[in-house]
Each structure stands twice: as C-alpha cells, then as structure tokens.
Amino acid sequence: MCSAPARLVLYVEDDRINLVLMEEVFRRLPGWRLECAEDGAQALSMLEGLQPDLLLIDMNLPDMTGLELLAQLRAVATDSALRCVALSADDLPDQVEAARAAGFSDYWVKPIDVMKMVAALQRALA
C-alpha cells in the first residue's frame, strides 16, 4: 500500500530559535515535511526546486519584509494558488489588514501556540 506524499511547508524565518521550534513541531507531524529559508533571497532560490503546499513567512526578514517577499513570490510563482501565511510578533490591526490585502491567507501571531498552529495547518491545506 502506498502512503500519500508528505505535505511540504516552506518556513521563511531568520530567528534560529523559531526555526528550531518549528523543526521540532514538524518532526512530530506525520505526513508533513518542513524546509527552511533564513531570508527572502534564500526562499526565492529554494522555490526554483520546490513546490510547497504552504509558505510560512516571517514579516520581518533581514533582507526584505514579508510583504515584499510575497510580491516577489507572486511574480515568479508557477502556481497561482500559492498559499502563504504571515507570522509576526506584531498584531496591530493595520499590519494584519495590510498582510491580508497583499494576499496572505492568514496571519499568525508569535509566539505560536503549537496546538492552534497544527489545527490551522490542517485547515489551510484541507
């Protein structure tokens, strides 16, 4: 019997602690695979060889904002249904609205509640 292919998530985050936490979470999720990029340029480069089901994008990267990265992703994406979720410690209403208006499908506030995140992952890719 063949198992379903793993769902691939690309996490773009420059904070090493957040990367390690997310790697540990995904290590315990059967059927999921996590790839990580530490800045926007690396994420764009990785997308040439990956077709992620979902991107988790920190809004404050060292080389660009999450909004700038999303705009560049949309310009080069071969999949028009690319699903992206913004992550940030900032949860001001105007920032959340700007992210949604730019095309992020959701906005998760750090620190991430792992149980809520897993449920949201499942909903995002249902």
Side-chain angles (χ1 to χ4, degrees), residues 33-112:
R33 188 175 124 224
L34 181 71
E35 293 288 336
C36 298
E38 295 187 14
D39 60 33
Q42 185 181 16
L44 289 166
S45 175
M46 289 175 73
L47 278 175
E48 293 175 14
L50 294 176
Q51 292 187 333
D53 297 291
L54 181 70
L55 281 90
L56 302 176
I57 301 174
D58 180 51
M59 295 301 287
N60 298 300
L61 298 167
D63 59 346
M64 64 184 75
T65 68
L67 295 174
E68 292 167 333
L69 176 55
L70 181 63
Q72 290 187 39
L73 289 170
R74 297 277 186 223
V76 299
T78 57
D79 181 2
S80 62
L82 190 62
R83 294 183 205 118
C84 299
V85 173
L87 286 90
S88 180
D90 302 321
D91 67 345
L92 297 173
D94 61 329
Q95 291 170 326
V96 175
E97 181 57 37
R100 290 187 185 276
F104 282 98
S105 59
D106 207 352
Y107 191 100
W108 300 349
V109 179
K110 297 177 190 176
I112 299 295

